Amino acid sequence: MIEVSGLTKAFGDSVVLDGVDLGVAGGETVALLGPSGVGKSTLLRIIAGLEVPDAGSVSVDGADLAGVATHRRGIGYMFQDLALFPHLDVAANVEYGLRMQGVGRPERRARVDELLMVVGLADAGSRDPASLSGGERQRVALARALAPRPAALLLDEPFGALDRSLRDHLLDELRSIFSALGLTVIAVTHDPTEAAALANRIAVMLDGGIAQIGPPDELFSAPRSRPVAAALGLRNVLDGAVRGGEVRVQGWGTFRVAVTTTTCGLLVPRGAIRAAPAPTRSVVAVEIEDMVLRDGQAVSVIRPVNGGPTLEADLPGAVRGERREVAVHRDAVHVMT
């Protein structure tokens, strides 16, 4: 269990973390998601002991880590650039942390063999890091971080330098490894797809704090605010002014809302838009402006013929430039502040 309480950190006049609270259960993977500059990596470095907070505390299994050196925290850290030692072979890279702990050679060698087997590099111990592919280097860095049997593992943008296909493959592998080993993991990423694939919960960081945290399906279906929706990469968001409990959006009509704010956002799931009307839907004449690929599926970009913002929809057989009538399930629309 990792417990972060009231963490504050400023660099000069810039406040990076402003009273952050975060609890991560044993065996859980939490992704810190958000745009650059919101404090994700700073939070990770404070937990690891690489930065000292201005205020607040970090504890593991109830033990306060204030003043505890990085190498004595029992926390593994996988750097964004992997930071493999170029003058050491794969096996020597993996056993480095064990040597620093004073572990004997036979035990070190046994642990290295065990971990190289776990990450699928059983025969790579004598290889030079420069001869490895990007995915293989990633696995060596993971094995090195795991070698000292840490209580938790911290990952800082671990897939940033990898192409999409390799990243997707490694995401599946890492989640299986974390589950098999019962690891507690905190991973920093700016990629919502990556966060959802890797983590049990996602913590969206904005403006120096955690704006919302929860399971991926909960966050993607019910973001708390428009900035959270933007951080999650959600596209189907309409904005409007609230008047008398209603929001009118040009081209899309009127939506009933129960908010006290003067403006709000409406998240319209792609599945809420259909080609045929029904009693609970409102019919809108639209033009297919474009066709785009989302996760290998063709998706229509549609705009009301009378003007208004675009939305994406799943419309089988749609062709760019054609006009259709669509219907929006009002009950499926999620209201955000």
Side-chain angles (χ1 to χ4, degrees), residues 84-86 88-90 93 127-133 136-137:
L84 297 179
F85 300 116
L88 300 178
D89 64 18
V90 166
N93 264 280
R127 290 180 62 182
D128 188 311
S131 72
L132 303 176
S133 68
E136 289 170 334
R137 288 195 295 273

Side-chain angles (χ1 to χ4, degrees), residues 29-48 50-51 75-83 138 141-142 144-145 152-162 167 171 174 178 184-191 194 198 205:
T29 297
V30 169
L32 302 179
L33 174 69
S36 298
V38 296
K40 304 185 302 295
S41 293
T42 299
L43 176 56
L44 211 67
R45 290 174 63 83
I46 289 175
I47 295 171
L50 299 171
E51 295 279 359
I75 296 176
Y77 196 104
M78 190 168 159
F79 293 90
Q80 184 174 357
D81 61 1
L82 305 183
Q138 204 88 22
L142 175 63
R144 183 177 64 180
L153 179 64
L154 309 179
L155 310 175
D156 191 359
E157 296 279 9
F159 307 103
L162 302 181
R167 183 190 65 176
L171 277 168
L174 286 189
F178 297 160
T184 303
V185 179
I186 303 177
V188 161
T189 180
H190 64 276
D191 188 316
E194 186 177 297
L198 187 63
M205 292 191 65

Side-chain angles (χ1 to χ4, degrees), residues 43-333:
L43 176 56
L44 211 67
R45 290 174 63 83
I46 289 175
I47 295 171
L50 299 171
E51 295 279 359
V52 178
D54 298 331
S57 64
V58 177
S59 62
V60 174
D61 291 334
D64 194 332
L65 298 184
V68 178
T70 299
H71 66 283
R72 296 190 182 280
R73 293 191 170 206
I75 296 176
Y77 196 104
M78 190 168 159
F79 293 90
Q80 184 174 357
D81 61 1
L82 305 183
L84 297 179
F85 300 116
H87 61 290
L88 300 178
D89 64 18
V90 166
N93 264 280
V94 175
E95 74 172 348
Y96 179 81
L98 298 173
R99 287 176 55 205
M100 295 301 99
Q101 289 182 339
V103 176
R105 182 180 177 83
E107 187 179 344
R108 294 203 311 265
R109 287 299 181 182
R111 179 65 170 158
V112 169
D113 291 343
E114 173 191 358
L115 285 171
L116 290 181
M117 179 74 71
V118 167
V119 299
L121 294 172
D123 300 322
S126 61
R127 290 180 62 182
D128 188 311
S131 72
L132 303 176
S133 68
E136 289 170 334
R137 288 195 295 273
Q138 204 88 22
R139 297 181 199 184
V140 173
L142 175 63
R144 183 177 64 180
L146 294 176
R149 303 182 191 276
L153 179 64
L154 309 179
L155 310 175
D156 191 359
E157 296 279 9
F159 307 103
L162 302 181
D163 62 62
R164 181 65 180 262
S165 61
L166 179 55
R167 183 190 65 176
D168 291 347
H169 177 67
L170 281 176
L171 277 168
D172 292 338
E173 284 195 346
L174 286 189
R175 184 156 187 166
S176 296
I177 290 171
F178 297 160
S179 178
L181 297 178
L183 280 173
T184 303
V185 179
I186 303 177
V188 161
T189 180
H190 64 276
D191 188 316
T193 303
E194 186 177 297
L198 187 63
N200 306 111
R201 288 190 300 154
I202 299 173
V204 178
M205 292 191 65
L206 298 170
D207 301 323
I210 295 176
Q212 189 173 355
I213 183 168
D217 56 348
E218 177 184 301
L219 263 66
F220 281 93
S221 63
R224 186 172 295 155
S225 65
R226 284 168 282 181
V228 169
L232 291 167
L234 297 172
R235 297 177 177 83
N236 273 17
V237 175
L238 302 174
D239 295 307
V242 180
R243 293 186 181 88
E246 293 184 340
V247 173
R248 183 167 185 83
V249 181
Q250 181 186 3
W252 294 104
T254 301
F255 298 80
R256 295 289 302 174
V257 297
V259 297
T260 58
T261 55
T262 57
T263 64
C264 73
L266 306 170
L267 175 63
V268 184
R270 289 207 317 250
I273 303 172
R274 292 286 187 269
T280 58
R281 304 172 185 171
S282 175
V283 177
V284 180
V286 300
E287 181 176 341
I288 314 297
E289 279 203 347
D290 201 2
M291 300 295 297
V292 295
L293 280 178
R294 302 288 184 224
D295 299 320
Q297 177 183 350
V299 172
S300 303
V301 180
I302 60 176
R303 186 186 299 276
V305 295
N306 293 326
T310 61
L311 291 175
E312 294 184 0
D314 299 322
L315 300 176
V319 177
R320 184 185 290 108
E322 74 169 313
R323 291 191 174 187
R324 288 195 177 192
E325 283 193 339
V326 299
V328 180
H329 275 282
R330 292 311 202 243
D331 292 343
V333 174

